[in-house]
Amino acid sequence: LAAYVCDRIASNPQYKGRFIGAVPIVPAVGVAPEAVPPAPIVGALRVLAAVAPSSGFLTPEEDPSHYACPSNTKRNFQGSWPLSTSKMLLDVTSGGVEKDLNNGKLKLDIPSLLVIAGETDEIIPMEAVESFFMKAKCSDKEMMKVPKGDHGLMVGQNTAKYATERYLNG
């Protein structure tokens, strides 16, 4: 979703010359096929999201206790995801980003881009991240693949330290 926000900011004349780029960390630009629920579940999700969008019925439970910084912060969402959020995330990650990049709806024509992704992410395939990166129209772009980094890339002390040190030290 950050890619869409960056696209809008970069195209807004109000921010011309002030927006220097983006750093998506573990970008939700695709999803592993085994992480997508079966078709009947996806169909039910679409219907339920239309009928009761704020309901958390049968949706993932978000528990930020293992990644919130600081640990006592209240800024992270906690609880069952609303159905409308679950449906939107599934739609975007299971094909929306790729389709929008291919048809020009998402341009990613921004000054600079640094994509940080874990090589062992079990949710977002590296192929999706690489495709996203290659299609970005930035002239100044870099992709950092973190060895042994998974979907909780910036949570684990070792992978967060690796990514930070590698970026700062070149």
Side-chain angles (χ1 to χ4, degrees):
L1 301 179
Y4 291 93
V5 172
C6 290
D7 223 28
R8 294 290 298 271
I9 292 171
S11 65
N12 186 329
Q14 175 183 349
Y15 298 104
K16 189 162 182 71
R18 297 185 338 186
F19 180 65
I20 60 170
V23 183
I25 300 170
V26 190
V29 295
V31 66
E34 57 274 9
V36 177
I41 301 295
V42 173
L45 174 61
R46 288 197 167 102
V47 170
L48 289 170
V51 174
S54 61
S55 169
F57 180 69
L58 296 177
T59 61
E61 186 77 21
E62 187 73 26
D63 177 15
S65 64
H66 66 284
Y67 63 79
C69 297
S71 58
N72 62 348
T73 185
K74 300 294 184 210
R75 69 178 174 221
N76 296 97
F77 176 77
Q78 183 170 0
S80 293
W81 292 9
L83 283 166
S84 58
T85 302
S86 296
K87 178 196 172 298
M88 182 267 309
L89 285 172
L90 181 61
D91 289 347
V92 168
T93 59
S94 65
V97 171
E98 183 75 17
K99 184 177 91 179
D100 289 347
L101 281 168
N102 288 338
N103 69 20
K105 187 175 179 182
L106 179 61
K107 295 176 182 58
L108 278 179
D109 190 8
I110 60 178
S112 60
L113 177 70
L114 168 63
V115 176
I116 303 174
E119 289 184 342
T120 60
D121 190 325
E122 67 282 6
I123 304 295
I124 303 169
M126 186 53 69
E127 298 81 32
V129 177
E130 289 169 341
S131 174
F132 166 80
F133 178 79
M134 294 305 296
K135 291 176 182 177
K137 293 181 174 37
C138 310
S139 58
D140 179 21
K141 62 183 179 178
E142 179 183 348
M143 181 159 60
M144 180 189 306
K145 297 178 185 178
V146 179
K148 300 180 185 173
D150 60 12
H151 198 62
L153 179 67
M154 298 310 284
V155 177
Q157 184 178 9
N158 291 336
T159 55
K161 181 178 178 185
Y162 171 86
T164 305
E165 286 179 353
R166 180 168 164 217
Y167 182 71
L168 294 176
N169 299 326

